[in-house]
Amino acid sequence: MAEGIDNGGRRRVLEQLLALPASAALCMPWAGAAGLADPADARGTRGTLRIALEGTYPPFNFMDPTSGQLTGHDVDVARAVATRMGLEPQFVLTEWSAILPAVRAGRVDVAISQVIITPQRAKAFDFSAPYCYSQPQLIVRKNERASYRTLADLKGRTLGVRQNSVFEQQARAVPGIKIKRYPAVPENLQDLAFGRIDALLDDSLLMQYLIRKTQLPLKAGARIGAPEPVGIALRKGRPAFRLAIDKALREARSDGTLRALSLKWFGQDAGSMPPT
C-alpha cells in the first residue's frame, strides 16, 4: 500500500464515486438488428439512436452514485445530438474493447464514449466533426517522488492503461515499460492509489475531473503528445447519417450547448483545439 493512504476512507470514495461492477456494465442487451435503416431515416419505424458507451468512465459516462442514473459528458452530448435529430437516445453499455466492434457489426448506430479520432480508426470507421479535444496525460500518486516527464522515464516501471485504447498503443511504442491493462477506469485508479502500479496514462480531462470532484491521493503528471480530437464513430458508408450528426453538433455548438456541457463536466471549454 502506498504511504499515507487511508485504506478504508479512500476505498469508499473510489467505490461511491467511480466504481461500477463489471456485470452492471453489461446489463443492457444489444438492441435491434444489424442492417436497419439509418436512424435519420427511421423515425417512423424505430425512432431511436442506439449509442454504445462504457458507463464506467467518469466524467465522460458513468453511473451517478446517488441517483443510480447514467450521466456524464458523453451522455449529455449524446442526448443533445439525438434530440436535434428527432430521435430518442438508447444507451447500450459495454466494455471499451467491444464498443467499436459493436459499431462495425451494426449492433449499435454510433459510439459516443470519448473516442479519439486517429488515422488508423478513420480507415475503419467514419467520424463526426470533433465535439471536444483532449490530450494523453500521466496520473501519479500525490506522494510520488520520481519525475516522469516522458514515457521513456517509465522504463522498468509499471504503467496502467485501458486495454485496446490509444493510451495502450502509445505505451507499447516505448520499449521497457511494464504495462498493466485494465477493462475500465475504477480498477486502475484503485491500483494506482494503493501503489500497485507506478502511474496511469489516460485522458487529461479525466485528471481535471479527479482534481475537482474526488479526494483521491492522485495528481496530474506530464502531458504526453499533442491534443487530439474526439468524435462520434459510425460505420463506413452512411454519408447521410454522418451529415445529420454533424448538423446536430453544429446546432449544439452554435447555441452554446457544447460549451456549457464542457464547462459543467471539465471546468473548461474543451470544444476547441487547445494551443500546443
Side-chain angles (χ1 to χ4, degrees):
M1 182 187 303
E3 181 182 357
I5 298 176
D6 182 314
N7 193 324
R10 299 298 190 188
R11 195 179 187 95
R12 282 194 295 274
V13 170
L14 267 166
E15 291 173 347
Q16 292 172 7
L17 294 182
L18 302 174
L20 180 70
S23 59
L26 298 170
C27 64
M28 294 184 66
W30 296 116
L36 286 176
D38 284 346
D41 302 321
R43 295 184 183 90
T45 58
R46 178 152 58 89
T48 59
L49 183 65
R50 300 168 302 175
I51 303 156
L53 44 69
E54 293 166 88
T56 58
Y57 192 23
F60 307 106
N61 52 84
F62 63 105
M63 293 295 182
D64 183 273
T66 301
S67 68
Q69 299 298 309
L70 187 64
T71 189
H73 181 257
D74 291 335
V75 176
D76 285 349
V77 169
R79 287 178 174 143
V81 168
T83 297
R84 286 163 176 78
M85 295 176 70
L87 299 168
E88 182 70 22
Q90 180 178 345
F91 297 104
V92 182
L93 309 187
T94 190
E95 288 185 357
W96 166 255
S97 59
I99 284 179
L100 291 178
V103 174
R104 181 186 291 113
R107 292 191 292 261
V108 294
D109 300 306
V110 295
I112 306 180
S113 193
Q114 195 67 3
V115 183
I116 294 172
I117 304 171
T118 67
Q120 182 178 3
R121 287 176 178 167
K123 293 177 182 177
F125 300 91
D126 280 341
F127 281 92
S128 70
Y131 63 85
C132 75
Y133 293 84
S134 189
Q135 193 170 1
Q137 184 168 26
L138 291 172
I139 304 171
V140 298
R141 288 181 298 279
K142 278 189 176 179
N143 62 358
E144 179 60 67
R145 295 180 180 179
S147 177
Y148 306 127
R149 297 180 301 276
T150 67
L151 289 180
D153 293 331
L154 281 153
K155 289 182 179 180
R157 305 285 183 138
T158 302
L159 177 66
V161 295
R162 283 186 300 136
Q163 60 187 25
N164 300 326
S165 66
V166 295
F167 310 114
E168 180 179 354
Q169 295 171 12
Q170 285 179 295
R172 290 197 181 281
V174 181
I177 298 176
K178 300 175 185 177
I179 296 172
K180 187 168 183 180
R181 305 166 77 233
Y182 294 87
V185 164
E187 292 88 348
N188 61 25
L189 289 172
Q190 179 171 287
D191 274 7
L192 178 60
F194 285 89
R196 300 181 186 120
I197 57 177
D198 297 298
L200 286 176
L201 182 63
D202 211 289
D203 196 295
S204 60
L205 296 176
L206 168 65
M207 190 67 243
Q208 295 296 324
Y209 177 82
L210 293 178
I211 291 173
R212 294 174 62 236
K213 294 294 187 179
T214 77
Q215 302 175 29
L216 299 179
L218 306 176
K219 65 181 179 181
R223 298 200 178 200
I224 306 295
E228 298 172 317
V230 175
I232 298 172
L234 61 148
R235 290 199 313 277
K236 287 281 189 183
R238 310 175 83 185
F241 183 33
R242 182 176 57 79
L243 289 172
I245 292 173
D246 280 344
K247 180 176 182 292
L249 283 173
R250 282 197 305 273
E251 292 172 355
R253 188 179 300 281
S254 64
D255 67 16
T257 297
L258 291 185
R259 183 177 187 277
L261 294 179
S262 183
L263 293 172
K264 170 186 174 181
W265 289 107
F266 310 136
Q268 64 183 78
D269 185 359
S272 300
M273 175 69 84
T276 58

